Amino acid sequence: MSASHSVASGSPVRVRFAPSPTGYLHVGGARTALFNWLFARKLGGKFLLRIEDTDKARSTDESTAAIFEGLTWLGLQWDEEVVYQGGNLERHRRDANAMLERGLAYRCFCTPAELDERRKSAERAKTAFKYDRRCDRLDKDDLARRIAAGEPSVVRFRVADGATAWHDLVHETISFPNKDIEDFVILRSDGTPIYNMAVVSDDIAMGITHVMRGDDHISNTPKQILLYQALGASLPVFAHFPMIHGLDGKKLSKRHGATAVADYQHLGILPEAMNNFLALMGWSPGGDLEVMTRDDMIERFSTDHLLRKASVFDTKKLEWMNGQHLSRLTGDALVAAMTPSFIAAGLFADAAAVQAVHDWFATVLEDCKERARTTDQLVELARPFFPGQPLVIDTAAAAKHWADPAQAMEWLQAVRAHLAALTDWTDASIEADLKALATELGVGASPLFQATRIAVTGRGVGISITKTIFRVGREVSLANIDSALTHLAEQSAA
RNA sequence: GGCGCUAUCGUCUAGGGGACUAGGACACGGCCCUCUCAAGGCUGGAACACGGGUUCGAAUCCCGUUAGCGCUACCA
């Protein structure tokens, strides 16, 4: 068994998130990035970002931009300039060639078609295919002749006998018999590096001390360890996180609906809640603590509590958690967190417009926040408080609470008269007055308040209706009741 | 097929030999609060995959079985 001594424990921590830009930033990637970020923050290390764009056919600039956007939204800021793997091709090639020159790797002239054929026949014979090293047995003259003839060749790494093992931060010891690892390709016939080669070369060059990624990379790890050793570099510490699956237990994919972090951003989820929820997929602070801020998580994060089991992404709990974070936000933080959503909803032109009415806005948010689970819901809850909102009647709510239009009109007229005559305009006095009116009319407060709610806000749900009336003011309340009355009159006439 | 990883309520998890008649949270049901919706409080049902060991004692340690997932490319 080969020694797998790790980097000196005293050296500053450097971790990286290394996505390939072949799509949006999905929740699994975000979770991996989060753990790396948390780890770096906890230990006072650096969190780096590397874009693995060596697959030219599948990599796109849009994907790279989406990854930046997603990480930025989550607040997972990287500490140094972004590294583009494609920019390091020369070094990858140099490192591979160094191994070739030192006899640790060899040229292979077998064509993809030949390999494919051998693989197929192995399958037919029901035996495991493994490259048979025939090109490693080429004699010197033959080799020289074929190189001189310009025959295309790849570079293969020669895997020695023995076993390769490491101490994984989440899995303890993992060991692979080397006989199960074939002499893998490190350089394609066009001279470009294969994944494992590029990763190891870059991780060494970037001084990565801890390689923490999804456990789908476990079987790549022994190959990478072999490369580190061949290159004479000290090994990083490895940690392999479990995967995140969909409700059906399968690896998360588009079939499962929203899997991009951007989807959740647009669904009204707070980055703080997203991080919190993601952190709990494969990690726990121990005990019963669940709702945490980013600082809470940094403080408590430890690789000791990393789980090994894949977890299922259940958005129900995400929504609940979002509601928790929403109600904990106050003052400026609440205003700041909600500003983008309100601008997107067209309720404010820009951030300056928000600042102009900052205190009023903060009060409205404070009133509404506990009733909302998502920022989208909060926007809708707060909408009636914005000046100039047309009264849009929710037909389902009207059907329920204005079931008898004639009676609804009678009630609303009474409410209107009371509000118009009220001298003391406070939440408490409005409530007392309308409750007295309900008694006077011989109805419960609930049906009267609900009927009034629709008249004033158009909706069947919202915060306390008396508080709403108080806040939007007498003028708007009466105007809305008037249009509700008109609406009801037209309806009964039709 | 080969190799590897994993296995506690439907879901996220606590648990690291006795404190376990297995705790919390989401979801679901009931009750309370209540002007609706939330929030909150109380409450109900709901799990250690199976089989062998080790031990005075196992959810916890070991082995096997089963199942799921991953890798098995001149993809990353």
Side-chain angles (χ1 to χ4, degrees):
Chain A
M1 184 174 297
S2 53
S4 55
H5 67 286
S6 297
V7 287
S9 48
S11 55
V13 164
R14 291 173 66 80
V15 295
R16 86 309 197 264
F17 173 51
S20 47
T22 53
Y24 46 75
L25 176 65
H26 59 92
V27 296
R31 200 278 319 263
T32 298
L34 173 65
F35 282 178
N36 275 281
W37 183 86
L38 247 18
F39 186 73
R41 286 294 168 277
K42 170 80 181 185
L43 269 32
K46 299 285 191 201
F47 169 68
L48 313 184
L49 178 60
R50 182 172 73 227
I51 301 296
E52 312 220 314
D53 55 354
T54 52
D55 185 343
K56 292 288 176 232
R58 294 197 301 153
S59 301
T60 66
D61 290 346
E62 293 74 59
S63 296
T64 303
I67 289 165
F68 292 165
E69 243 174 81
L71 291 176
T72 303
W73 179 67
L74 288 168
L76 307 181
Q77 193 50 51
W78 48 99
D79 296 314
E80 291 177 7
E81 215 174 316
V82 177
V83 173
Y84 290 89
Q85 191 158 65
N88 298 328
L89 255 32
E90 275 315 314
R91 169 165 40 69
H92 302 152
R93 199 170 295 152
R94 254 199 329 272
D95 285 344
N97 283 138
M99 289 188 269
L100 185 60
E101 276 155 30
R102 291 170 50 211
L104 299 170
Y106 59 90
R107 286 185 198 280
C108 170
F109 298 91
C110 299
T111 66
E114 289 167 350
L115 257 10
D116 198 45
E117 181 45 44
R118 281 177 232 160
R119 211 168 270 127
K120 285 206 175 98
S121 68
E123 200 173 316
R124 280 194 295 272
K126 291 196 191 301
T127 58
F129 174 79
K130 190 179 151 194
Y131 182 64
D132 62 7
R133 295 183 157 163
R134 64 179 67 185
C135 289
D136 196 20
R137 294 187 293 267
L138 258 26
D139 67 54
K140 276 199 172 53
D141 297 342
D142 197 9
L143 185 62
R145 182 183 56 73
R146 294 171 86 153
I147 292 172
E151 201 176 313
S153 66
V154 299
V155 175
R156 278 183 192 275
F157 181 82
R158 188 183 302 104
V159 177
D161 291 340
T164 303
W166 73 95
H167 177 84
D168 194 278
L169 245 27
V170 353
H171 295 276
E172 299 294 310
T173 300
I174 300 182
S175 175
F176 283 80
N178 286 6
K179 67 171 173 52
D180 292 325
I181 307 169
E182 73 171 356
D183 287 352
F184 54 97
V185 174
I186 53 178
L187 230 46
R188 298 188 184 92
S189 51
D190 66 0
T192 58
I194 229 69
Y195 175 71
N196 286 124
M197 181 68 238
V199 166
V200 171
S201 180
D202 284 349
D203 281 338
I204 293 172
M206 291 166 74
I208 300 303
T209 58
H210 300 254
V211 171
M212 309 201 288
R213 74 253 278 203
D215 68 15
D216 49 342
H217 284 289
I218 286 181
S219 37
N220 279 322
T221 305
K223 296 178 185 174
Q224 295 183 188
I225 288 176
L226 260 14
L227 255 22
Y228 272 95
Q229 291 169 159
L231 257 14
S234 59
L235 292 179
V237 174
F238 290 97
H240 289 93
F241 311 133
M243 302 275 86
I244 294 179
H245 289 163
L247 259 351
D248 58 359
K250 300 262 193 281
K251 192 171 171 176
L252 217 47
S253 68
K254 302 103 241 149
R255 284 184 303 107
H256 297 102
T259 57
V261 317
D263 293 337
Y264 291 96
Q265 175 180 1
H266 301 312
L267 252 28
I269 298 295
L270 255 16
E272 191 95 321
M274 192 72 199
N275 279 324
N276 190 170
F277 183 67
L278 250 18
L280 260 18
M281 313 240 82
W283 174 71
S284 157
D288 295 336
L289 184 64
E290 293 206 301
V291 181
M292 291 173 282
T293 64
R294 232 183 307 243
D295 287 342
D296 291 335
M297 292 192 281
I298 292 171
E299 188 184 326
R300 286 159 222 272
F301 191 76
S302 155
T303 53
D304 294 345
H305 285 85
L306 251 17
L307 260 31
R308 315 206 253 243
K309 192 184 68 162
S311 44
V312 173
F313 195 79
D314 180 5
T315 52
K316 277 279 180 16
K317 192 160 182 174
L318 206 208
E319 273 194 26
W320 166 80
M321 187 159 274
N322 201 60
Q324 295 295 313
H325 280 273
L326 215 46
S327 9
R328 276 163 216 226
L329 245 26
T330 54
D332 290 345
L334 180 59
V335 169
M338 293 310 302
T339 294
S341 302
F342 278 78
I343 291 175
L347 260 13
F348 283 117
D350 51 34
V354 176
Q355 284 313 308
V357 293
H358 179 281
D359 293 353
W360 168 82
F361 186 43
T363 308
V364 169
L365 291 178
E366 202 61 48
D367 283 346
C368 300
K369 70 179 186 183
E370 226 167 53
R371 299 182 139 73
R373 287 195 146 196
T374 65
T375 60
D376 289 8
Q377 287 169 3
L378 184 42
V379 167
E380 288 317 307
L381 244 15
R383 191 186 287 277
F385 295 90
F386 281 73
Q389 291 298 309
L391 186 69
V392 181
I393 311 254
D394 180 317
T395 53
K400 188 173 175 191
H401 300 290
W402 289 352
D404 179 348
Q407 189 181 60
M409 287 170 74
E410 187 190 322
W411 287 356
L412 292 177
Q413 264 145 5
V415 169
R416 193 199 188 288
H418 269 242
L419 291 179
L422 197 64
T423 46
D424 181 22
W425 193 261
T426 65
D427 180 11
S429 63
I430 293 168
E431 181 174 352
D433 191 67
L434 292 187
K435 277 194 170 152
L437 173 60
T439 310
E440 201 178 297
L441 291 171
V443 296
S446 181
L448 182 68
F449 280 27
Q450 279 303 89
T452 305
R453 180 192 306 287
I454 298 172
V456 176
T457 69
R459 297 142 195 265
V461 301
I463 70 164
S464 156
I465 184 58
T466 55
K467 195 170 210 170
T468 303
I469 291 168
F470 167 64
R471 283 227 191 287
V472 300
R474 194 185 323 245
E475 197 183 329
V476 172
S477 298
L478 296 185
N480 283 357
I481 291 173
D482 284 340
S483 27
L485 249 13
T486 309
H487 176 92
L488 278 165
E490 282 167 0
Q491 198 178 53
S492 41

